[in-house]
Structures are given as structure tokens and as C-alpha cells.
Amino acid sequence: MRQYRHLTAYVLGVLAVLATIVLTTPGTGTDAAWVDRQSFAVPALAMGGLDVALTAAGDAARLDNASAADLEYRPAAVEVRPAAGSVPGDVADFLGTGPSIAYRTGATGCSGTTGRWGAVVRGTAGTPVTSVGGGPRDPLPAGEHRPLCLSVATTASERDVLLASAGRTFDVVTTLETVSAGTGSWSRAHEWTVPHTVGFPPAQRHPQRHLACTTARWTETATLRWAWPDSSVTDPVATPAVHRWSLMVRRVGTADWTEVRSGSGDLRALGVSRSELPGNGEYQAMIRAYPSAASDTYVDSADLWSVTRSANFWNRLSCGTVTAAPGAGAAGVDGVSR
């Protein structure tokens, strides 16, 4: 009997050991698993980032590093986008002049510094900005700020730029990139938008004075001729920048102008007939340019033409002197001038 009791105790002991092994082994077919009672030291995770502020005012910006770590920065890419009021083709015309974007910076300001980065924009997609001197990025230490200034030039001549884009406004959009200094991997991007307007010079008198205003006795018409954008462009020239020219007249001593005729942007001459003037007397005439069909923008000519309507059979319409207009080249509603 004692022999059976020893055997029973032995069997129960073996079963207990087997049960312990089964219960403390991780399961592979269920979500249940054993819990390791050992403790591990888990390092704290630093969930930091780049605390960088961009303050922009026109063609100048400022980057402030409020992070606890040193950073590096650079303009990474730039593109030209249509601004509000643009018409189709504006950007393409401007890109054809080869806009060149330059960036300057310095520890205290941009004044007197040379270009640090630059790019010539040829397409509508973002153009990479390259370093002009030094490494690709500049330092931005913790707690400090750096200024950044932008300027726009073109590889084409001023005349070609004006013919293509005078009076147009574009958005020059730069992607600014900041990264953690050294071997860090944090990075952040800002968009900096700078509106850029190409100036619009007023029409000026024809360089040959006897052609600035001529009359035809039998047709009783006075023809005004002008040059734009400079005195060398007096013949019809394809001019995307000018949507329309208007010939405006007023009687001497009055303030209000009246449009008597208009024509397409490639014109450099327009005429007024005797019948379009309401009565005999002396009149002033000028040329008004509308750069865009999308707005009321206009720029008045730098000169006034004198035209006289009389009852004289042989000289019923005559041209007088051409004089500089008061406030020559004044811009009108939403107008722009160089």
C-alpha cells in the first residue's frame, strides 16, 4: 500500500511540473502570453522639433530660430506664379525674359551683401536654387535670427521685358528649408511669396517732331504718333504687355477726358477726325495705355498734343505744339508706373 502511495505522489509531481511548463510558455495561437516580470530601463523619448518663424515684408524676410538647437537654412526652390488679375499667357511671357532671382543675407542685415544663392527661372515648376558661394546652407544658431532679401532681374534687355510684361504683377514663391545642424534629421519648409511688378513706362512723343502730330486737309484728320516703351519703338510691334491704346481728348480749359478712338497694343499711331470734336476751338490730346484686359489699370502718356478745330476752309484741323503733361506718366485706377 505504501508502495502505491509513493507511486501516486511521483505521478502527481510529474504532472505539476508539466502543468507549470505549459502555463508559463507563450502561446502562439492566441493573444495570451506570459508577462516577463523582469524590469527594463526605457530611455526617455525627446519629441522635439524645429521651432522656426518666418516673418515677411515684401522682398525682405526674417527667419527666427526659437528652437533649443542650432539649425541651418537655405532657399531650396523658387517658381513664378500668376498673381491676382493676371490673364492667360502672362507668366509664359515673363518666363521668356529669363527672370533671375538672387538672395542676399547677413548676420545683421542684407544691405551691402552680395548674392548668396540664385536661380534663373525658365519653367512653371519649382526651379532649384543653387549656392553662389560657400556651402549649400547657412547657420541659424539657437535663439538667433537671420534676414533674407530677394531681388529680381532678367537676362533679356529692358526693352524686351517691357514689351512682354510691362504692368504685370507676378508672385515669386520661394521654398525656404530649415534643417537641424550636424547629423540631425529634423527639417521644416516655409513658403515665402513676394509680389513682383514690372514697371510700365508712359508713351512718349515720336522722336521726329514733325511726325508727332500730322493733319490731312482733305480727310480732316489729325494723326498722333508715339513711341513705346522707348523712343526707338515707333512702328507697330507685337506687344503682349499692352492690351489697348486709347486716344483721349479734351477742350482746353476743361478737366474731363473723352475717348474718341482705341486700338490694339501693337499700334503706334491713332487719328482723330474733325467731326469727333464737338466744336471749334483748341483741344488737347493724349495717349492712354491699358496693360491688361482684366482690370481698369491704365497709364497716361508723358506728353500732350495740341489740336485746333476751326472754320477756316484751308486749315479746318491743325496740329500745334507737343508739351510735357503735368504729372507726366501718371497712373490711373489701379495703375502702375515705372
Side-chain angles (χ1 to χ4, degrees):
M1 196 64 183
R2 181 176 302 174
Q3 180 179 2
Y4 289 113
R5 282 199 298 269
H6 286 303
L7 179 60
T8 301
Y10 175 77
V11 171
L12 290 174
V14 170
L15 292 174
V17 171
L18 292 174
T20 301
I21 292 174
V22 171
L23 291 175
T24 58
T25 300
T28 58
T30 68
D31 291 334
W34 57 270
V35 178
D36 188 349
R37 296 182 179 271
Q38 299 183 61
S39 62
F40 292 91
V42 180
L45 296 178
M47 300 299 291
L50 301 188
D51 190 359
V52 182
L54 172 67
T55 305
D59 59 0
R62 170 173 155 160
L63 281 170
D64 285 87
N65 181 8
S67 306
D70 293 339
L71 305 176
E72 294 177 346
Y73 74 99
R74 66 162 182 163
V78 61
E79 63 182 287
V80 176
R81 299 176 185 171
S86 296
V87 295
D90 281 358
V91 171
D93 291 333
F94 184 58
L95 291 177
T97 67
S100 175
I101 317 298
Y103 301 89
R104 294 174 291 115
T105 187
T108 57
C110 300
S111 178
T113 60
T114 58
R116 175 67 178 84
W117 299 275
V120 176
V121 184
R122 295 292 187 184
T124 55
T127 300
V129 177
T130 58
S131 171
V132 175
R137 300 183 181 88
D138 270 5
L140 181 59
E144 295 189 15
H145 67 269
R146 290 291 184 270
L148 192 63
C149 302
L150 176 152
S151 60
V152 181
T154 57
T155 57
S157 67
E158 181 183 22
R159 170 184 164 178
D160 289 341
V161 174
L162 294 176
L163 286 170
S165 301
R168 304 291 196 263
T169 298
F170 308 95
D171 286 338
V172 180
V173 183
T174 303
T175 300
L176 297 174
E177 178 187 82
T178 51
V179 300
S180 50
T183 59
S185 60
W186 291 106
S187 66
R188 186 174 179 183
H190 292 85
E191 268 198 359
W192 172 30
T193 300
V194 176
H196 174 69
T197 300
V198 179
F200 196 101
Q204 52 191 291
R205 75 184 72 176
H206 194 286
Q208 295 177 310
R209 290 179 180 272
H210 68 282
L211 287 178
C213 179
T214 58
T215 56
R217 179 180 299 174
W218 304 115
T219 60
E220 298 184 339
T221 300
T223 300
L224 277 59
R225 294 180 174 84
W226 64 92
W228 190 90
D230 54 54
S231 60
S232 68
V233 188
T234 57
D235 295 324
V237 175
T239 310
V242 181
H243 169 64
R244 161 171 78 94
W245 299 102
S246 290
L247 193 161
M248 315 292 293
V249 298
R250 70 181 178 186
R251 189 185 290 269
V252 170
T254 63
D256 295 335
W257 293 94
T258 300
E259 179 184 284
V260 295
R261 185 164 285 107
S262 65
S264 61
D266 61 347
L267 294 180
R268 296 295 182 272
L270 281 172
V272 54
S273 67
R274 188 176 187 275
S275 61
E276 291 172 315
L277 303 177
N280 293 336
E282 185 180 356
Y283 291 83
Q284 289 178 322
M286 72 171 180
I287 300 299
R288 177 168 288 177
Y290 289 86
S292 174
S295 72
D296 294 328
T297 297
Y298 64 82
V299 178
D300 290 336
S301 61
D303 299 296
L304 300 179
W305 287 254
S306 175
V307 178
T308 301
R309 182 187 192 273
S310 70
N312 187 319
F313 178 78
W314 296 105
N315 200 18
R316 291 162 64 84
L317 198 64
S318 61
C319 291
T321 58
V322 182
T323 58
V333 178
D334 297 328
V336 292
S337 59
R338 183 171 55 173

